[in-house]
Amino acid sequence: MKVLVAGDGGYIGAVLVPFLRAGGHEADGLDLGLYDGCDLGVMPAGVGAGPPADIRDVTAARLAGYDAVVCLAALSNDPLGHLNPAATYSVNLAGTLCLARAAKRAGSQRFIFASSCSLYGAAGSAGVAEDGELTPLTPYGETKVLAERELSRLAGDDFSPVCLRNATAYGASPRLRLDIVVNNLTAAAMTTGEVRLESDGTSWRPFVHVEDISRAILATLEAPRQLVHDQAFNVGRFDDNLQICDIAGLVRDASPGSKITFADGAGPDVRNYRVDFAKLHDTFPDLALHWTVQAGIDELVSAYAQHDLSYDDFVSARFVRLRRIRELLAAGVVDDALRRTTDGTLPGAGFRAPEFRTPGNTVSSSAAAPAS
Ligand SMILES: NC(=O)c1ccc[n+]([C@@H]2O[C@H](COP(=O)([O-])OP(=O)(O)OC[C@H]3O[C@@H](n4cnc5c(N)ncnc54)[C@H](O)[C@@H]3O)[C@@H](O)[C@H]2O)c1
């Protein structure tokens, strides 16, 4: 199968594209390149390597010949959505729909949309399924709800949108993110000795390894149409619904000498939900999601050690999407709508945000505001 992955230059894309290729598919990318050079290790050959392209401008001609399109391209987390809600709507909603309409016109039969469990918002601890109420708490979550709804309207005999509501990702990727909670807390423990929580740690959240997201995408690409046509699936494992304080304990134990600390005034986080993944596992009985959060933390500890992740790396813009976007805005290479103002090379990643360095060499883990 020939697959176009929009957003191949991001955290998930850098794992997904090699995964699809290893599965025998031809996978190409399309990306605005916002995080070019923001790497831990070496990007796989031919991934995130195309010229900058914006999903808001994609035409059917660009997508000719692709059997399927995967949309990972997005402004991908809650704090980023708050920075500029209009840009988040423009990319995550208008951009997704522009890509989907172009894919449909081009004759691509399947469109896999990277949605998010964050559209369940504050569903609480009961374990919400796909038909549960959607109560997004942020502009980011709202765009996922609206994009799902509009994609469903495009469904037809020759076009099958599939919405994968991914849990919050974790795990190593060459295009690492440290603004997602497991990755962040593990990096904090290793570079500062503190597993620092901004909340009281009681809220529930579902987690899924980045490779298991890739596994689910592959399964939905290869599935018979009637299994997935115009369907939404929660992507994760029920056992990886954890409270943030559970994650903190696992991270502390994996990073000897570290201790759990709380930010001043840390209270409950309103984003609180457990998710039911039965539909995915019932529909795909052979789909084995391999990873546990514990195994993912161990993997991250090894990856950070192997690549000498330092305190300066941790507080830089390189691995935190919000800081990187602020860096690009300050350099004038993207405008307020996050459109590229130049086709040239973006400024090198590595900018250090001094406001994140606090007395005692500890780090505000506002970067840990869990994205999803
Ligand atoms: N990482 C998670 O925890 C998680 C969880 C649930 C859902 N998701 C969804 O999965 C997708 C991928 O997430 P990620 O963690 O890889 O994000 P990421 O920020 O690492 O990657 C997103 C990619 O999209 C590209 N992009 C942004 N705007 C673009 C545009 N206008 N045109 C073309 N490319 C553009 C960026 O350059 C980047 O390479 C997103 O849609 C996100 O909402 C992620």
Side-chain angles (χ1 to χ4, degrees), residues 6-13 30-35 53-56 71-76 91-92 113-117 140 144 166-170 175 177 180 213 321 338 371-372:
D8 67 314
Y11 171 69
I12 296 173
L30 181 156
D31 199 290
L32 199 53
L34 297 175
Y35 312 117
D54 196 312
I55 54 168
R56 290 168 287 185
C71 182
L72 303 174
L75 300 179
S76 172
V91 174
N92 295 9
F113 174 56
S115 187
S116 166
C117 285
Y140 169 76
K144 295 295 184 187
N166 298 297
T168 297
Y170 63 86
R175 236 342 106 80
R177 284 181 62 176
I180 40 183
I213 292 178
R321 298 301 183 240
L338 298 190
S372 44

Side-chain angles (χ1 to χ4, degrees), residues 200-341:
D200 64 7
T202 56
S203 60
W204 288 93
R205 211 63 62 75
F207 296 92
V208 64
H209 193 278
V210 58
E211 189 183 279
D212 281 341
I213 292 178
S214 304
R215 218 164 247 124
I217 291 172
L218 180 62
T220 48
L221 282 170
E222 291 181 341
R225 175 178 182 273
Q226 67 275 14
L227 274 190
V228 297
H229 175 76
D230 196 19
Q231 293 292 313
F233 295 94
N234 296 331
V235 176
R237 297 176 344 116
F238 192 75
D239 289 351
D240 283 341
N241 280 297
L242 295 171
Q243 287 176 290
I244 302 300
C245 51
D246 297 331
I247 303 278
L250 294 173
V251 168
R252 179 201 50 210
D253 295 347
S255 183
S258 65
K259 61 176 186 204
I260 298 173
T261 62
F262 293 87
D264 289 345
D269 187 336
V270 286
R271 294 168 301 180
N272 177 32
Y273 49 93
R274 283 170 101 194
V275 173
D276 181 338
F277 298 102
K279 181 177 175 184
L280 182 77
H281 298 286
D282 291 348
T283 308
F284 298 98
D286 296 332
L287 173 66
L289 300 190
H290 292 190
W291 286 85
T292 62
V293 171
Q294 174 70 71
I297 291 169
D298 294 342
E299 178 203 33
L300 288 165
V301 167
S302 302
Y304 295 166
Q306 182 192 346
H307 296 290
D308 291 325
L309 184 83
S310 67
Y311 175 81
D312 280 351
D313 293 330
F314 179 55
V315 296
S316 78
R318 188 149 42 125
F319 304 120
V320 175
R321 298 301 183 240
L322 179 60
R323 292 184 204 157
R324 173 66 174 167
I325 294 294
R326 285 202 169 120
E327 182 182 60
L328 298 178
L329 285 166
V333 293
V334 295
D335 64 19
D336 284 348
L338 298 190
R339 285 188 170 279
R340 296 274 297 248
T341 56

Side-chain angles (χ1 to χ4, degrees), residues 48-83:
D54 196 312
I55 54 168
R56 290 168 287 185
D57 302 327
V58 167
T59 61
R62 172 69 180 82
L63 302 182
Y66 288 101
D67 303 300
V69 172
V70 179
C71 182
L72 303 174
L75 300 179
S76 172
N77 74 11
D78 292 332
L80 206 49
H82 287 303
L83 172 72

